[in-house]
Amino acid sequence: LDDINVQSEESGDTTVGAGKYLSDKVYFEVESGTGQKSGAAKVQIEVTPKIKLESKVGQDSQAGGGITFGWDY
């Protein structure tokens, strides 16, 4: 594993995620939480150093995706 994170919301639900870099530009993470249907799997692909594509599928089969632009300075 390359990353473990814990997130807590105001409602009291807690989510634990564990992720691994499959290559230099591909990151995979699995999340599980205390809330109902709170599990998910996420894949993030680095297209360029500033642009990343992300796809997420939840335990309830809902999916989403997006493009992230970031600037490190």
Side-chain angles (χ1 to χ4, degrees), residues 2-65:
D2 293 317
D3 184 38
I4 297 175
N5 63 64
V6 178
Q7 298 176 5
S8 184
E9 298 180 14
E10 290 180 21
S11 63
D13 291 339
T14 302
T15 303
V16 177
K20 173 84 176 150
Y21 282 93
L22 304 177
S23 72
D24 290 342
K25 299 182 184 235
V26 179
Y27 178 74
F28 178 73
E29 183 178 62
V30 177
E31 298 176 346
S32 183
T34 58
Q36 189 173 18
K37 297 183 181 179
S38 62
K42 176 172 61 172
V43 175
Q44 187 179 64
I45 301 170
E46 182 180 313
V47 179
T48 71
K50 297 179 184 173
I51 299 174
K52 295 181 175 102
L53 298 175
E54 186 174 297
S55 178
K56 185 174 182 178
V57 177
Q59 182 177 339
D60 56 359
S61 299
Q62 290 194 10

